[in-house]
Amino acid sequence: MPATIRDVALLAGVSPSTVSRALSVPDMVNVDTRARVAIAVERLHYHPNRAARGLITGRTGNVGLVVPDVANPFFASVVKGVQARARRDDIAVFVADTDEEPAVEAGLIRALAKQVDGLVLCSPRSSAEDLAAIAEETNVVLINRGVMGVTGIRFDDEDAMRQALAHLVALGHRQIAWVAGPDASWSNQHRTVGLRAAATARDVELIEVGNFAPTYEGGVAAADQVVATEATAVVTYNDLIAIGLLSRLHARGISVPDDLSVLGVDDIEMSRMAIPALSTIRLPQQRAGQIAVETLIGLITMPEAVPPILRSNALTGELIVRNSTGPAPSPKGRKRSP
Amino acid sequence: MPATIRDVALLAGVSPSTVSRALSVPDMVNVDTRARVAIAVERLHYHPNRAARGLITGRTGNVGLVVPDVANPFFASVVKGVQARARRDDIAVFVADTDEEPAVEAGLIRALAKQVDGLVLCSPRSSAEDLAAIAEETNVVLINRGVMGVTGIRFDDEDAMRQALAHLVALGHRQIAWVAGPDASWSNQHRTVGLRAAATARDVELIEVGNFAPTYEGGVAAADQVVATEATAVVTYNDLIAIGLLSRLHARGISVPDDLSVLGVDDIEMSRMAIPALSTIRLPQQRAGQIAVETLIGLITMPEAVPPILRSNALTGELIVRNSTGPAPSPKGRKRSP
DNA sequence: TTGAAAGCGCTAACAC
DNA sequence: GTGTTAGCGCTTTCAA
């Protein structure tokens, strides 16, 4: 049975309220009273019951994090970032995995909302209306998703695509394929738009294939369509797709990057382990999680400090060059299997 | 401001206790009273405040999960399993990532223990004493770790190694290398012992190298030592090491499985994406998480139903054959680079 | 600087 | 079947 504040008070020979003060506003209590309390706390291994405290202060000291799939390395990194930042402020985090099912999502979020001070949401699937509604009820920070009136942390997809294209163009590529991710995905839309703009600006031919699932299997499925184009390089919606692509290309005897350059987006752990190691645009996932928590803490402690409409923050990606991108083959040099 | 039980009571024209009963023990209240309450609940979007309930029942309806690193795919799967099972019982889960630092671990666990009904611990690093002490204070289920007197879910490492060896022996291998994981790791010890026993039983020469970190880098580092042995096949502590091995072997021009067969343990997501796809012993990580929660619920609801000493449950692995294991090369057929 | 008292939202006796 | 009462562990007026 854990010690209560009364146990501590008894042992220290003071009243419960003094103990409470000694712990939360030390300045307001006499130095040696404080010391006596400290000793009692120590001896009893006392930790305040957060639920009880929350009941009265209205703050739980907890935040919730909702992700579609913790086993997806992209989200795993976000979780890590959230964790790290939350721990610094002694905040505990509820994690909910929606299993990619939007139906589950709504219910889970409601349930969580009751016991946290705020929510970090990675919800590529939920509707903007649903998200806005939740943001009415509790503090919410969205990751990688823009919804009017809701605070969000996003990646600068347009810039990422600009960097991707700059790299490939510098290598001599002029015909570049784009393997699109899920049609409904917010970031897929932004990446597609960004890539088109960059392609026009640099006068390269963009060949779009897809949409494909943002998974290894999606990449495997996309490979043959990519090969069938005239492209000498391909940019994929994410690294998982790129890795699937690599696998199928290998099976078909197409050499990367000699025959075809492959460039992913995300820089998940796995990417540097691929053969060949995958060039990619690194999106700072952990950092996004950290900033999300930071923003959330701001929202919780000073709700009025930020203007309510579109407080968005874009994190820029970073080009990581590994071995899957190389110079464009000369037209006759291309030796793809027939 | 969320609705309280009093708001519901007022609207339904009953007392708060009736509302409480209508929700938790419906049978004890009149059918139409119940209906009126239900309507009020609906209209007010009422959800009971779990913290307040917990204060009086002593149950929070939450469990905690502590893992060394959520970004490690092995633990990510465990998290997923825990999540899935907990959701079925409407249990929320706190996840804490210790960042592989045992020092952080102890503090985090204490903090969590206060606000949960029980803890699932993946703590390869913490000392048995620490774990036993925590188990004194709250309900604990350990994953992949045996500690006297503490309930645990483990994988049958010995059997896994038996299966590994059977597979390789059947392919004609007689000299097999073992890349050991961290010396202090509980499962590394068990796997090593299991493998030695199996090797003796089948009369194969076991060549041990290591210890290495259970990471991609660990595998890269181990590769050259493996190559320097006479082994025609290698079993690694886990898949991550195997994938690192694959990478370095590829760089050195050593063909897998023609020159050397590689067999991992775990079957993380990444393994089927490796080139060549990795043969491995699948350990049911999600299932372990599920069973852990199930066991924890048992511990919480009927603490006396299980004998206190060594309630261990071993999950058996399953051999997954992909492309990284093949027949042993004939002695003259081996064409490793000099 | 400290203590007494009230109450956060809820449930569990105990009456009726 | 239902209402009344008390109290879970804590913080926060309000007095002293």
Side-chain angles (χ1 to χ4, degrees):
Chain A
M1 200 80 327
T4 80
I5 200 170
R6 303 194 50 174
D7 301 328
V8 178
L10 242 52
L11 184 58
V14 295
S15 79
S17 20
T18 302
V19 175
S20 174
R21 271 188 290 257
L23 290 155
S24 46
V25 267
D27 307 328
M28 281 181 60
V29 359
N30 188 310
V31 196
D32 28 301
T33 325
R34 205 193 303 168
R36 292 219 310 287
V37 170
I39 292 171
V41 163
E42 189 59 31
R43 293 215 335 168
L44 264 31
H45 298 298
Y46 172 73
H47 282 265
N49 179 324
R50 283 185 161 203
R53 171 184 290 173
L55 209 47
I56 184 153
T57 60
R59 295 264 190 78
T60 61
N62 299 327
V63 300
L65 169 60
V66 179
V67 294
D69 179 12
V70 277
N72 179 320
F74 180 90
F75 297 116
S77 287
V78 173
V79 173
K80 231 180 144 56
V82 166
Q83 291 279 350
R85 183 61 187 80
R87 192 165 59 219
R88 271 182 30 205
D89 277 33
D90 218 46
I91 292 172
V93 5
F94 279 110
V95 176
D97 181 310
T98 63
D99 239 347
E100 304 271 9
E101 294 175 34
V104 172
E105 211 165 275
L108 264 180
I109 292 176
R110 295 308 165 101
L112 264 190
K114 291 288 162 187
Q115 24 187 356
V116 300
D117 298 334
L119 249 22
V120 176
L121 263 31
C122 297
S123 302
R125 305 296 224 278
S126 285
S127 72
E129 294 74 40
D130 283 354
L131 294 174
I134 293 158
E136 291 290 305
E137 297 173 30
T138 181
N139 298 303
V140 167
V141 172
L142 262 25
I143 289 190
N144 209 5
R145 178 77 188 260
V147 171
M148 252 325 188
V150 184
T151 311
I153 310 294
R154 44 175 301 252
F155 300 105
D156 191 338
D157 291 307
E158 289 79 3
D159 178 71
M161 293 299 105
R162 216 173 296 131
Q163 292 190 53
L165 227 68
H167 174 56
L168 294 175
V169 166
L171 286 168
H173 299 278
R174 291 294 175 272
Q175 295 174 301
I176 297 174
W178 164 239
V179 178
D183 197 21
S185 153
W186 197 80
S187 43
N188 182 62
Q189 290 165 18
H190 281 249
R191 285 174 202 171
T192 302
V193 168
L195 204 50
R196 286 180 191 154
T200 305
R202 293 184 169 270
D203 199 32
V204 328
E205 182 187 350
L206 186 68
I207 303 149
E208 304 187 17
V209 306
N211 308 70
F212 290 94
T215 59
Y216 173 81
E217 282 71 23
V220 171
D224 298 320
Q225 293 185 35
V226 171
V227 171
T229 71
E230 287 296 301
T232 60
V234 53
V235 182
T236 62
Y237 169 70
N238 70 6
D239 284 357
L240 242 20
I241 291 183
I243 291 170
L245 212 61
L246 250 31
S247 172
R248 176 71 181 165
L249 293 174
H250 176 82
R252 286 196 48 188
I254 295 164
S255 163
V256 174
D258 295 339
D259 299 333
L260 182 67
S261 284
V262 176
L263 180 61
V265 176
D266 278 354
D267 193 27
I268 55 179
E269 278 284 315
M270 212 179 291
S271 301
R272 63 179 220 286
M273 310 181 190
I275 299 177
L278 186 68
S279 294
T280 186
I281 310 291
R282 173 180 299 166
L283 264 21
Q285 303 135 72
Q286 285 208 28
R287 190 146 169 60
Q290 287 173 10
I291 295 183
V293 173
E294 221 141 83
T295 310
L296 195 51
I297 293 172
L299 243 37
I300 294 166
T301 53
M302 3 169 243
E304 309 310 333
V306 252
I309 305 293
L310 206 52
R311 298 161 280 201
S312 268
N313 208 335
L315 272 50
T316 58
E318 178 192 0
L319 173 69
I320 305 292
V321 178
R322 298 204 181 95
N323 299 326
S324 71
T325 48
S330 54
K332 51 171 54 179
R334 286 177 70 185
K335 39 171 185 195
R336 291 200 193 152
S337 35
Chain B
M1 200 77 327
T4 78
I5 201 170
R6 302 194 51 173
D7 301 327
V8 178
L10 242 53
L11 184 60
V14 295
S15 79
S17 24
T18 303
V19 176
S20 174
R21 272 187 289 255
L23 275 86
S24 47
V25 266
D27 307 329
M28 282 181 61
V29 359
N30 188 310
V31 194
D32 28 301
T33 326
R34 207 193 303 169
R36 293 219 312 286
V37 170
I39 292 172
V41 163
E42 189 61 31
R43 294 214 334 168
L44 264 29
H45 298 297
Y46 171 75
H47 282 267
N49 180 324
R50 282 187 163 203
R53 172 184 288 174
L55 210 47
I56 183 151
T57 60
R59 294 267 189 78
T60 61
N62 300 327
V63 300
L65 170 61
V66 178
V67 294
D69 179 12
V70 277
N72 179 322
F74 180 88
F75 297 116
S77 286
V78 173
V79 174
K80 232 180 143 55
V82 166
Q83 290 278 352
R85 184 59 186 81
R87 193 163 61 220
R88 272 181 32 204
D89 276 32
D90 217 47
I91 293 171
V93 6
F94 279 111
V95 176
D97 181 310
T98 62
D99 240 347
E100 304 271 9
E101 294 174 34
V104 172
E105 210 164 276
L108 264 180
I109 291 175
R110 294 308 165 100
L112 265 189
K114 291 288 164 186
Q115 23 188 356
V116 299
D117 298 333
L119 250 22
V120 176
L121 264 30
C122 299
S123 303
R125 305 295 224 279
S126 285
S127 72
E129 293 75 39
D130 283 354
L131 294 174
I134 292 157
E136 291 290 306
E137 296 173 29
T138 181
N139 297 303
V140 167
V141 173
L142 262 25
I143 289 189
N144 210 6
R145 178 78 188 260
V147 171
M148 249 328 188
V150 184
T151 311
I153 311 294
R154 45 175 302 250
F155 300 104
D156 191 336
D157 292 306
E158 289 79 3
D159 178 70
M161 293 300 104
R162 217 172 295 132
Q163 291 190 53
L165 226 68
H167 173 56
L168 295 175
V169 166
L171 287 167
H173 298 279
R174 290 294 176 275
Q175 295 174 301
I176 297 174
W178 163 239
V179 178
D183 197 22
S185 153
W186 197 81
S187 42
N188 181 63
Q189 290 165 17
H190 282 249
R191 286 174 202 171
T192 302
V193 169
L195 204 50
R196 284 180 192 154
T200 304
R202 293 184 169 271
D203 199 31
V204 327
E205 184 187 348
L206 185 69
I207 303 148
E208 304 187 19
V209 307
N211 308 73
F212 290 95
T215 60
Y216 174 81
E217 283 71 23
V220 171
D224 298 320
Q225 292 186 34
V226 171
V227 172
T229 70
E230 287 296 303
T232 59
V234 53
V235 182
T236 63
Y237 169 69
N238 70 6
D239 284 358
L240 241 21
I241 291 183
I243 290 169
L245 211 62
L246 249 29
S247 171
R248 176 70 181 166
L249 293 174
H250 176 83
R252 286 194 51 185
I254 295 165
S255 164
V256 173
D258 296 340
D259 297 334
L260 182 67
S261 284
V262 176
L263 180 62
V265 177
D266 277 354
D267 194 27
I268 56 179
E269 279 285 315
M270 211 179 290
S271 301
R272 63 179 218 288
M273 311 182 189
I275 300 177
L278 186 68
S279 295
T280 186
I281 309 291
R282 173 178 299 165
L283 264 21
Q285 302 135 73
Q286 286 208 27
R287 189 143 172 63
Q290 287 173 11
I291 295 183
V293 173
E294 219 141 85
T295 310
L296 196 49
I297 292 173
L299 243 36
I300 293 166
T301 53
M302 4 168 242
E304 309 310 335
V306 252
I309 304 294
L310 205 52
R311 299 161 279 202
S312 271
N313 209 337
L315 272 46
T316 58
E318 178 191 2
L319 173 69
I320 305 291
V321 177
R322 299 204 181 94
N323 298 325
S324 71
T325 47
S330 55
K332 51 171 55 179
R334 286 177 69 185
K335 42 175 181 192
R336 291 199 194 153
S337 34

